[in-house]
Amino acid sequence: LKAIILAGGFGTRLRPLSCTRPKQLFPIANRPLLDWILEGLSKSGVTEVILAVNYMADVLQRYFGNYRYEMKIMYSRETKPLGTGGPIKNAEKILKADGKFFILNGDVLTNIQYSNLEKNHAKYRKKYNSTLTITLYEVEDPSRFGVVEIGPTNRIYRFVEKPKLGEEPSKLINAGAYLTEPEIIDYIPSDKCSIERDVFPSLAQKGKMYGFKHEGLWIDIGKPDDFVKANFSVMDIIAKDKPKIGIDTQLSSGVKIIPPAIVGNEVKVGQGTHIGPYVTIGDNVSIGNGCKISHSILFNNSWVDSYSSINGAIVGEGAVVGQWVKIENNCILGDYAVISDNVTFTKGVSVCPSKEVGESILEPKQVM
Ligand code: GDD
Ligand code: MG
């Protein structure tokens, strides 16, 4: 079975961290999001994956190569962004060759059982000659997503992408994982288009679309707070009662690690530093003495000097935080940002990659 993963978006809402990496490489428990997705597909019997790439395509291709989790990985490159529908048409030749295939959004952390999606699709295909089965997930606020109206046989009557607040047909949203027959390609109206706006509404109207409900883990990491939430959820699963500590990591005397927490490989932590709860520290990170870090994510190779506190923040790769620094509430440091000694960021400060900041900032601000 084949799968095509849409992995070409710009990740605009994840700036400044997406200025230097595609969404698919954002770390979830110290492992790129796309690794989690690929592993899930492999477990469900997929043998070939096409990555539809555009933004930072080379970085993705270099990282994932041509073979991973016992699956062949291929790349379908776009010379300009083709949206969420165009990439399917663009890869038509490979996809049409042997029957049905999965289509996945590449920015979702989930434990969807793809083999169950396939089983459900086979059932609807046989009974109703349907074209596509869409995975659905129930959320409190569906307005940021694609939303469906579903009937008793799980037929989708209506699909509305990003409905206005109060006009959502239900709380069941498009979870971004479909199993489809190759005939879907005949419904794609142009080389660049949106599968949600230009294909699904007409498929639904023709009675060709059915739903498969997923209950369990599901988070679209498209915004910083959701990216953080995705990490917290995995910490709750794999490091809840006991912190997970990597190899060759050195914890000095008096270090306290409060679970859930994940500490990577070759990390150095100085005397008396407290880490956790809800902290993920990447590989090769250095943290000084007497620091306090909670509810935060520190990417690989970052540095935090002594007596600093980080609470509710994201520290990008290779970023450097001086002594007696305080970084709080939804602040984000881009990769290789440098924060001088004694600086305080109270909330919502986001610092562009490689930018040096020498003064405190006490209100939400983007530092370019
Ligand atoms: N190859 C390629 N080319 N991929 C793209 C492009 C493009 O031009 N544009 C977006 N993508 C990829 C993104 O990288 C992402 O993995 C996926 O397509 C979905 O795009 P988003 O921009 O993240 O869309 P969204 O999150 O606002 O909405 C989509 O996902 C929701 C669930 O997470 C829609 O499918 C909604 O209906 C859905 O509910
Ligand atoms: Mg998304």
Side-chain angles (χ1 to χ4, degrees), residues 3-21:
I4 180 165
I5 304 181
L6 301 169
F10 290 101
T12 327
R13 292 164 292 180
L14 283 170
R15 283 179 193 155
L17 296 162
S18 57
C19 296
T20 38
R21 66 175 63 66

Side-chain angles (χ1 to χ4, degrees), residues 249-253 255-257 262-264 266-276 279-294 296-310 315 319-323:
T249 279
Q250 299 166 28
L251 307 178
S252 307
S253 62
V255 167
K256 224 178 168 180
I257 304 205
I262 298 172
V263 180
E266 295 178 54
V267 172
K268 289 192 186 78
V269 185
Q271 287 173 18
T273 282
H274 290 187
I275 292 173
V279 171
T280 292
I281 308 237
D283 293 338
N284 205 22
V285 170
S286 273
I287 302 170
N289 302 332
C291 292
K292 282 205 162 54
I293 303 177
S294 74
S296 295
I297 297 161
L298 275 60
F299 284 28
N300 294 342
N301 305 315
S302 52
W303 278 75
V304 179
D305 211 339
S306 297
Y307 312 110
S308 287
S309 74
I310 299 175
V315 176
V320 178
V321 174
Q323 286 191 22

Side-chain angles (χ1 to χ4, degrees), residues 107-308:
D107 62 345
V108 174
L109 178 76
T110 178
N111 59 358
I112 291 173
Q113 297 280 312
Y114 301 106
S115 46
N116 277 348
L117 169 59
E118 188 198 347
K119 275 187 210 128
N120 277 269
H121 176 74
K123 190 173 80 190
Y124 300 132
R125 174 72 174 172
K126 202 167 158 205
K127 225 168 158 182
Y128 308 112
N129 194 31
S130 61
T131 299
L132 178 139
T133 305
I134 178 173
T135 310
L136 303 170
Y137 187 70
E138 195 173 316
V139 298
E140 259 326 293
D141 173 16
S143 62
R144 301 168 32 205
F145 301 103
V147 192
V148 301
E149 183 186 327
I150 193 168
T153 59
N154 287 337
R155 178 177 153 184
I156 307 295
Y157 286 108
R158 206 150 58 94
F159 184 96
V160 197
E161 181 66 12
K162 317 250 158 64
K164 285 203 194 94
L165 203 69
E167 290 179 16
E168 308 91 346
S170 74
K171 290 198 163 182
L172 282 176
I173 62 144
N174 168 16
Y178 330 111
L179 190 70
T180 183
E181 300 294 326
E183 68 207 35
I184 186 80
I185 293 164
D186 305 331
Y187 288 86
I188 299 176
S190 56
D191 293 343
K192 175 186 189 320
C193 67
S194 153
I195 199 168
E196 298 87 355
R197 294 177 199 275
D198 305 322
V199 178
F200 289 167
S202 59
L203 261 191
Q205 208 188 16
K206 293 193 172 78
K208 290 285 191 180
M209 191 168 167
Y210 282 77
F212 160 70
K213 286 179 203 151
H214 166 67
E215 284 164 8
L217 180 66
W218 188 90
I219 303 172
D220 173 326
I221 69 145
K223 294 191 295 135
D225 51 336
D226 291 326
F227 162 64
V228 168
K229 204 170 99 193
N231 272 283
F232 289 2
S233 304
V234 175
M235 279 184 241
D236 270 335
I237 298 166
I238 66 173
K240 192 169 173 82
D241 303 316
K242 198 174 153 241
K244 212 175 155 232
I245 315 270
I247 49 172
D248 294 330
T249 279
Q250 299 166 28
L251 307 178
S252 307
S253 62
V255 167
K256 224 178 168 180
I257 304 205
I258 306 134
I262 298 172
V263 180
N265 303 323
E266 295 178 54
V267 172
K268 289 192 186 78
V269 185
Q271 287 173 18
T273 282
H274 290 187
I275 292 173
Y278 292 105
V279 171
T280 292
I281 308 237
D283 293 338
N284 205 22
V285 170
S286 273
I287 302 170
N289 302 332
C291 292
K292 282 205 162 54
I293 303 177
S294 74
H295 301 89
S296 295
I297 297 161
L298 275 60
F299 284 28
N300 294 342
N301 305 315
S302 52
W303 278 75
V304 179
D305 211 339
S306 297
Y307 312 110
S308 287

Side-chain angles (χ1 to χ4, degrees), residues 348-365:
V349 175
S350 80
V351 179
C352 271
S354 304
K355 179 79 192 165
E356 294 176 24
V357 184
E359 288 154 15
S360 294
I361 304 173
L362 308 179
E363 59 191 29
K365 189 181 172 183

